Amino acid sequence: MTVADINAYGLVIGGSLVIILSYFANLLAKRTNIPSVLVLIGMGIALREGLNAMGLTSIPFESLVLELLGTIGLIFIVLEAALELDLTRDKMPLIVKSATMALLALLGSSAAIAAFLNVSMDIPTFEGWVYAIPLSIMSSAIIIPSVAGLDANDREFMVYESTFSDIFGIMAFYILLGNSDAESTNSVIASIGTNLVVTFVLAVIVSYVLVYVLQKITSSVKLFLSIAVLLLIYSIQKLLHLSPLVLILIFGLMLNNHRIFFPNWTNNMKRLQWLPSPAKLLDDHRMHELHRDYHLLTLETAFVIRTFFFVLFGMTVSLVSLTDLHVITEGLIICCVLFGVRFISLLLFQRKRIFPLLYIAPRGLITILLFFQIQGAYSQFAQPQFDQGILLVIILVTSIIMTIALVQNGITLRGVTLVPDMVQGEDEAESTSDEPEDAESASPEAS
């Protein structure tokens, strides 16, 4: 069988079956507490063996497909995360604490893993950080549906922490790669500072304009129009070596917290009553509809992207590497480093209850996605001595440990049945849109 033997109908049938099986994998996760990521990776391994049996040993345009999926996936993942962040006053202590812990855990884990890779595999320090950052990012795609059974405080903390871990990790990875040619530490700091300032200013301007224009459009075709604009601006900023994910983050925050970004000065700040109120530029009802539509769009799109990424990862995995004692040992050591740093971080930020939060730290989509980026768009930093089997060991071990911890604590996964609940929550939000400006928005775990 050759690439020429595969027609459009074959691809459609194959893709449809993968998505359908992914849906049932989510249902299986809800009933058994087995993360769907393990099922999808197994599906990819089985698919690879089946294709090999038919004589197809390579995936056509594999690198281009992975890079395209990676770009779109990053945008939707960051946008989905931003749409879940409620910047309410009473949640600010929790947001600050979870963001600080996510950042310190990311940096601490990355530094420790980079040092280990340098000693054990003789990987240079810079390349060690390139590999370490993806391994240090917790998977919100796995965590958010897994913590529904925790008490409210722990649940919110885990949702925020995993979300910030995704955002900080992705940004740190691309900022590091964007400064690979820097000659000194001072030049790196100056370059990062200039990059972030320019990016932030452009992101704020574009987000304000886009949000204002979107809620003014009465046509039903506006979501993919705005996504096209975001993709265009993202790609342009990427070509200019800026940090375009900041734009996606700010745009999502504006959609979910429009009353903060468009305040009503007339009611809240008497000194500014002479200025036109930004709140009058927006229609609350349309903004709630826009937020609901975007949430559904990102939820569905992220589900499809996650599905294909985990399956593609399974297709690239060599099971032979799992029989290598060095691969297993190095993977387990990195897992010990991750849980060790997490234990210290929880001691500092979450002293009241460390367990089972310590064990809820799986690695998943973002880790795989960024590793594909290293192998594809940034192949100059690829290190052949880092066996991909190590990545599989880390994903399997962290997911299995989380599963055991959830089962022992009687916690069940939420699964995919939350979509109707989310829509209902948005409808309730619309019905309360006439409440005061400082009314509390929906909690992040409801998304």
Side-chain angles (χ1 to χ4, degrees):
M1 183 177 181
T2 63
V3 174
D5 297 325
I6 302 178
N7 56 32
Y9 296 107
L11 292 175
V12 170
I13 292 172
S16 300
L17 288 175
V18 168
I19 294 175
I20 292 170
L21 291 174
S22 176
Y23 176 81
F24 285 106
N26 275 277
L27 295 182
L28 179 66
K30 184 181 178 183
R31 294 181 178 274
T32 64
N33 271 8
I34 300 175
S36 58
V37 55
L38 301 183
V39 180
L40 293 174
I41 291 175
M43 190 190 307
I45 294 174
L47 184 58
R48 165 59 74 186
E49 295 301 321
L51 292 175
N52 287 341
M54 291 187 294
L56 185 62
T57 57
S58 62
I59 303 174
F61 305 108
E62 179 179 0
S63 59
L64 180 60
V65 171
L66 290 176
E67 186 173 356
L68 178 62
L69 276 177
T71 299
I72 298 175
L74 284 175
I75 291 174
F76 276 96
I77 290 167
V78 174
L79 183 57
E80 182 187 25
L83 289 172
E84 293 173 348
L85 293 179
D86 296 318
L87 304 180
T88 55
R89 183 178 303 174
D90 59 322
K91 293 185 183 296
M92 286 310 297
L94 175 63
I95 293 174
V96 172
K97 182 170 71 170
S98 59
T100 305
M101 177 173 165
L103 180 60
L104 293 180
L106 175 72
L107 296 176
S109 299
S110 298
I113 294 173
F116 170 72
L117 295 178
N118 180 261
V119 172
S120 65
M121 304 180 195
D122 198 29
I123 294 179
T125 301
F126 183 86
E127 284 76 7
W129 275 85
V130 171
Y131 275 80
I133 289 177
L135 295 174
S136 302
I137 301 174
M138 298 197 307
S139 175
S140 63
I142 301 176
I143 289 175
I144 290 177
S146 302
V147 297
L150 295 177
D151 63 69
N153 291 332
D154 288 343
R155 181 170 65 247
E156 284 193 344
F157 180 81
M158 288 303 307
V159 169
Y160 280 120
E161 184 196 1
S162 61
T163 299
F164 281 120
S165 181
D166 278 0
I167 294 171
F168 291 156
I170 293 170
M171 292 178 61
F173 179 79
Y174 284 105
I175 287 175
L176 179 68
L177 292 176
N179 292 274
S180 58
D181 298 328
E183 298 178 354
S184 64
T185 303
N186 291 334
S187 62
V188 171
I189 295 175
S191 175
I192 292 175
T194 303
N195 184 305
L196 291 179
V197 169
V198 174
T199 303
F200 181 79
V201 173
L202 290 176
V204 170
I205 295 173
V206 172
S207 297
Y208 267 109
V209 173
L210 199 54
V211 169
Y212 173 74
V213 171
L214 279 175
Q215 59 95 37
K216 289 292 185 182
I217 297 177
T218 57
S219 171
S220 58
V221 183
K222 58 184 176 182
L223 292 182
F224 277 99
L225 172 63
S226 60
I227 292 298
V229 173
L230 287 175
L231 286 171
L232 175 63
I233 299 174
Y234 177 95
S235 301
I236 293 174
Q237 288 190 346
K238 195 71 176 176
L239 292 175
L240 295 176
H241 304 291
L242 299 176
S243 301
L245 287 173
V246 175
L247 165 65
I248 310 301
L249 176 62
I250 293 178
F251 176 71
L253 289 175
M254 281 191 185
L255 284 179
N256 195 35
N257 305 272
H258 66 276
R259 291 180 178 176
I260 294 177
F261 290 92
F262 292 83
N264 190 342
W265 290 339
T266 305
N267 294 339
N268 300 332
M269 303 179 68
K270 294 182 178 179
R271 296 180 180 178
L272 298 177
Q273 286 185 354
W274 59 277
L275 289 174
S277 176
K280 295 181 180 179
L281 298 175
L282 301 183
D283 182 281
D284 272 349
H285 180 70
R286 288 185 180 178
M287 287 303 299
H288 282 301
E289 287 184 341
L290 197 61
H291 177 264
R292 180 191 59 194
D293 292 342
Y294 261 98
H295 215 149
L296 283 172
L297 176 65
T298 57
L299 191 69
E300 298 281 356
T301 307
F303 166 74
V304 174
I305 291 174
R306 290 184 186 117
T307 294
F308 283 106
F309 251 98
F310 286 132
V311 171
L312 283 172
F313 174 69
M315 294 177 67
T316 61
V317 166
S318 174
L319 295 179
V320 177
S321 62
L322 294 182
T323 62
D324 190 332
L325 184 60
H326 291 290
V327 170
I328 296 175
T329 302
E330 289 163 347
L332 291 176
I333 291 175
I334 292 176
C335 287
C336 291
V337 170
L338 293 173
F339 284 111
V341 173
R342 179 160 181 77
F343 179 74
I344 296 172
S345 302
L346 287 171
L347 281 178
L348 295 174
F349 293 93
Q350 197 79 355
R351 296 181 182 180
K352 293 182 179 179
R353 189 181 180 189
I354 296 178
F355 305 98
L357 301 188
L358 172 64
Y359 305 115
I360 305 177
R363 269 54 187 171
L365 177 66
I366 300 296
T367 301
I368 297 172
L369 192 152
L370 295 183
F371 263 88
F372 280 151
Q373 291 288 298
I374 296 174
Q375 301 299 324
Y378 300 96
S379 58
Q380 67 270 28
F381 301 111
Q383 300 295 308
Q385 60 267 47
F386 187 96
D387 194 295
Q388 192 162 308
I390 297 174
L391 179 59
L392 180 60
V393 169
I394 294 170
I395 291 174
L396 292 177
V397 170
T398 54
S399 296
I400 291 172
I401 288 176
M402 184 193 74
T403 301
I404 294 173
L406 293 177
V407 172
Q408 288 183 341
N409 287 270
I411 301 169
T412 58
L413 297 184
R414 191 175 64 188
V416 297
T417 57
L418 190 71
V419 176
D421 298 335
M422 186 273 292
V423 176
Q424 180 181 359
E426 291 291 346
D427 291 338
E428 291 173 356
E430 288 181 25
S431 65
T432 58
S433 62
D434 293 330
E435 293 179 1
E437 299 294 330
D438 58 350
E440 183 177 336
S441 55
S443 60
E445 69 272 13
S447 53

